[in-house]
Amino acid sequence: MDFFAQQRIRTRRSLLLYGLFFLIVLTHIAVALGVVWLLLTIFTGGIYYWALVLVIVWIIASFVGGSFVEYRRLRAGGRAIAQRVGAVRLFVDSSQDAWEHSQGVAQQHTAAKKVRFSDRQIAVRDERDFPPVYRRYYEIAQQLAIASGLDMPILYVLPDEQGINGFVAGRHSQDMVLVVTQGALDKLSDEALYGLIGHEYGHILHGDATFNLQLMVVLAGLQILYDWSDPISHNSNRLISDNRYAGSIDSSVSQSALMPQRSIDSHARRTEAQTAIIDAVSVAPAESSYH
């Protein structure tokens, strides 16, 4: 298989997503204009063009506003994505501040541990002080960065994820992150881990990491439009359900049963929009990778 030819094909298909997303926005506008046109014709007997213009402005403003809010949330680039999914950073503290702790009133100090664990980072003074599983990860990432001519990304690990996976995200080299699951670090051999990390570096080299963040911003705008239309579809489904099962299901029970499901659906959509898009482009060209 010609890998680079396939990469170019996948890149063109990924760019096609942009066109499809904006086509969805235009479709929303067309449908909304059609509905408003029909309602005005039925109930007023005439067309108020200011109402049509207001519909167009409302839809575009919703899309742009949702995308802008997500853009603001992702100002930190890849680090914002890593923190959002609960990743822990591997941090080499090169500052001159002494790692020590106080003992008693006399303020007698002793050297602190070489590794500091927290919910957000695993900090060491020297990369050789990392626990073996993380030291291997750091060294392989460093070696591949040198071999590929890329700046080494900020390294993160998902400590509670036992699946084998990884992703990269970031707008530029200064905020580019590489996130690998704990399962990948524990279960993969050196050769396999080289392959996984090398594959993710390929996404950095081809601009996929930046493209993923751009898709997240666009999808946030589409999510706003979907949320605006969700009450309409929800009420329609509820009306159909009430008519179909009238007489056999109490209306109060029907209402209480629908609300939890709607909450679940809403939560699932938001979670998918925030995290699943990270792999939307990455998985496409990865038929022979370790994903």
Side-chain angles (χ1 to χ4, degrees), residues 48-251:
Y48 298 94
Y49 291 99
W50 61 267
L52 302 180
V53 173
L54 185 62
V55 169
I56 296 175
V57 172
W58 171 64
I59 293 177
I60 294 178
S62 298
F63 174 75
V64 174
S67 297
F68 179 74
V69 170
E70 185 69 6
Y71 175 79
R72 296 273 295 179
R73 291 173 179 171
L74 297 177
R75 282 183 300 177
R79 284 173 290 183
I81 300 298
Q83 294 171 5
R84 181 176 295 183
V85 300
V88 177
R89 181 180 177 183
L90 300 187
F91 179 60
V92 179
D93 186 358
S94 57
S95 67
Q96 300 302 315
D97 298 333
W99 280 17
E100 56 186 20
H101 58 272
S102 174
Q103 290 188 341
V105 179
Q107 297 294 312
Q108 297 175 349
H109 294 278
T110 60
K113 294 181 179 179
K114 293 183 177 182
V115 184
R116 286 187 172 182
F117 295 92
S118 70
D119 293 338
R120 293 192 174 185
Q121 66 182 21
I122 301 172
V124 296
R125 280 299 196 184
D126 188 275
E127 63 188 67
R128 292 170 293 183
D129 296 329
F130 279 123
V133 65
Y134 300 130
R135 179 178 176 181
R136 182 179 71 134
Y137 173 28
Y138 190 96
E139 290 176 346
I140 290 177
Q142 188 177 55
Q143 292 168 14
L144 287 176
I146 295 173
S148 61
L150 296 172
D151 292 333
M152 184 172 169
I154 304 171
L155 302 185
Y156 283 83
V157 61
L158 285 171
D160 299 324
E161 177 56 57
Q162 292 304 310
I164 298 177
N165 211 333
F167 67 85
V168 288
R171 296 181 301 174
H172 43 70
S173 59
Q174 286 73 25
D175 64 25
M176 191 67 63
V177 303
L178 168 62
V179 182
V180 174
T181 63
Q182 186 69 42
L185 299 180
D186 292 338
K187 300 172 184 177
L188 294 182
S189 64
D190 288 349
E191 292 79 5
L193 191 57
Y194 269 108
L196 175 62
I197 296 176
H199 170 77
E200 298 305 332
Y201 276 23
H203 288 308
I204 298 176
L205 188 63
H206 289 90
D208 295 336
T210 302
F211 184 72
N212 286 341
L213 282 184
Q214 295 170 351
L215 286 182
M216 291 186 69
V217 172
V218 174
L219 281 178
L222 294 179
Q223 182 68 41
I224 293 295
L225 297 182
Y226 185 86
D227 288 342
W228 278 115
S229 62
D230 182 65
I232 299 176
S233 62
H234 173 70
N235 291 333
S236 299
N237 292 334
R238 180 180 172 184
L239 179 60
I240 294 173
S241 177
D242 289 344
N243 290 337
R244 180 176 299 174
Y245 299 105
S248 60
I249 300 178
D250 182 78
S251 61

